[in-house]
Amino acid sequence: MPSLPEQTLYIAGKFTNAVSADRFETINPANGEVIATVQQAGAEDVERAVASAEQGFREWSAMSGTARGRVLKRAAELLRRNRDELAALETLDAGKPLSETPEADVDSGADCLEYFGGLAATLHGEYLEVDDAFVYTRREPLGVCAGIGAWNYPLQIACWKSAPALACGNAMIFKPAELTPLSALRLAEIFTEAGLPAGVFNVVHGFAETGQLLVRHPRIAKVSLTGEAGTGRTVASEATGSSLKHVTMELGGKSPLLVFDDADLDNAVSGAMLGNFYTQGEVCTNCTRVFLHERVHDAFMEKLVERTKKIRLGDPADPETQMGPLISAAHRDLVLGYIKHGRDTDKAELVAGGGIPHDPALARGYYVQPTIFDRCNDQMKIVREEIFGPVMSVLTFNDEDEAIQRANDTEYGLAGGVFTSDLDRGHRVAARLQAGVCWVNHYNVTPIEMTFGGVKRSGLGRENGRQAIEYYSQLKSVYVATGDCEAPF
Ligand code: NDP
């Protein structure tokens, strides 16, 4: 029996039954049980969502930035007030441990709404004088935007996309990943309670086909996707191909972490673990290629393996649990396939984990042990491909130039990190890593003020920070003559 009632769409400021008769189930990854049946949006539903968003856009875009900001800040407040309930919902649907979700999902979503709520009041154009005229620019919204989310940070992604979009005066239709549809609906309800006009934030559920309906819709102005690099390529080319939509693509990665021989090793081990095992390793920026200076390899590995073996895997709803299950049985099998390949074909040295946990209490969930392969080389499949699970590959280097060249030898460019006590080197390495985000002596912290996004196959455009505004608004120039036209005829 599902534990929650059938989940509807959210259109025109209220829960709305889908016209489409298609349904799917959302599953608790900790035990394989059905949480709820979910209504799937078909073409007619997407059409209704677009019409509702267009109506919401007219009212919302006419409001002042200050008034829009007030609504976003009220929504942030409501998110914080419902922190426990939202964290528990995210834990149930995504399998993320309750030791993470209050802060990493709910607080970070609230920070985002608050930050862009503040920025909304500051948006403005510019004024300049030219010959016989003056020119001013207006910062205008794009219109109806589509947000398409991944399943690893469902609520946070919905906030990262909607907050800057709404701050600029746009309306949004959000499609959560079909594996994690629940929290976006609660966000929609909270937006309405905060005073957001009907139609400004809508939720449609479904698979890639529903996403495609949004991507191909002629009256949608922008598509912002978080997903795999392959999905990003397809979506970006469809979105820009026919209707020249704006796009933001937050995609996958295979990021490097460089640990130099002067690093604080305990801190570096913490960074490597944060960047591989937090959220079960299902984090796009993870430093799944850990490059150790040969001189510190043994000392680092001893600490790393000892600490990794102590990670508490378990029911994500237990506050003591440090790692929960992966998102689905299919994803678990994919990750286990990579581990098998690493062991049997790549012949990397398995030094921790390597399979499913032995605890019979976890047998129904999609658990994978935190896994470390040592003595890897740059050609191995586990080193080259994004696994999106708790699998770390360790490599060694002897010299800075060599380490940077190998770190950059990937089609991805989302993130990177360096641990060193020499700050000159920290800045130097950060400057040379081909990545959208770099951390020096830390890893995977993403304060909302910090611009986020990838280079190379990891993405297009930026989220968070002031710069996100550029991706949800456009400038119009207005030329105002102070003299007469000088027509040659
Ligand atoms: P997917 O690319 O499989 O899916 C992402 C979203 O796109 C889902 O909502 C999916 O729907 C939808 N979708 C899939 N195909 C299409 C299509 N052709 N047209 C429109 N929509 C489509 O990614 P995952 O959900 O599996 O997420 C994991 C990936 O996301 C990893 O590669 C990870 O690195 C990346 N990621 C990137 C982040 C970043 O900020 N750079 C952050 C988090 C994750 P459905 O789910 O129903 O298939």
Side-chain angles (χ1 to χ4, degrees), residues 24 148-153 156-157 160-161 175-180 206-216 223 225-232 234-235 238 249-253 282-285 327 331 386 388 412 414 452-454 458-459 463:
F24 62 95
I148 302 179
W151 43 259
N152 60 338
Y153 279 82
Q156 190 199 68
I157 290 171
W160 281 20
K161 296 197 184 304
K175 189 199 90 63
E178 110 280 347
L179 291 165
T180 51
F207 298 73
E209 299 72 38
T210 307
Q212 258 169 10
L213 289 166
L214 295 170
V215 172
R216 294 176 181 168
V223 176
L225 170 90
T226 297
E228 289 176 6
T231 309
T234 308
V235 168
E238 283 195 337
M249 296 286 133
E250 293 289 0
L251 310 175
E282 297 166 326
V283 180
C284 51
T285 42
I327 189 67
H331 189 56
E386 184 184 46
F388 216 57
Y412 293 111
L414 189 54
F452 183 88
S458 290
E463 293 188 319

Side-chain angles (χ1 to χ4, degrees), residues 429-488:
V429 172
R432 292 181 63 197
L433 285 178
Q434 295 167 349
V437 186
C438 286
W439 289 278
V440 180
N441 294 329
H442 213 310
Y443 207 85
N444 261 358
V445 277
T446 53
I448 193 65
E449 299 85 352
M450 183 172 97
T451 293
F452 183 88
V455 301
K456 295 156 82 177
R457 279 191 67 205
S458 290
L460 277 177
R462 291 292 178 267
E463 293 188 319
N464 300 351
R466 232 196 140 78
Q467 294 73 10
I469 294 300
E470 305 295 331
Y471 297 92
Y472 283 101
S473 60
Q474 55 200 346
L475 290 177
K476 175 190 282 172
S477 292
V478 181
Y479 176 106
V480 183
T482 52
D484 292 338
C485 300
E486 286 178 24

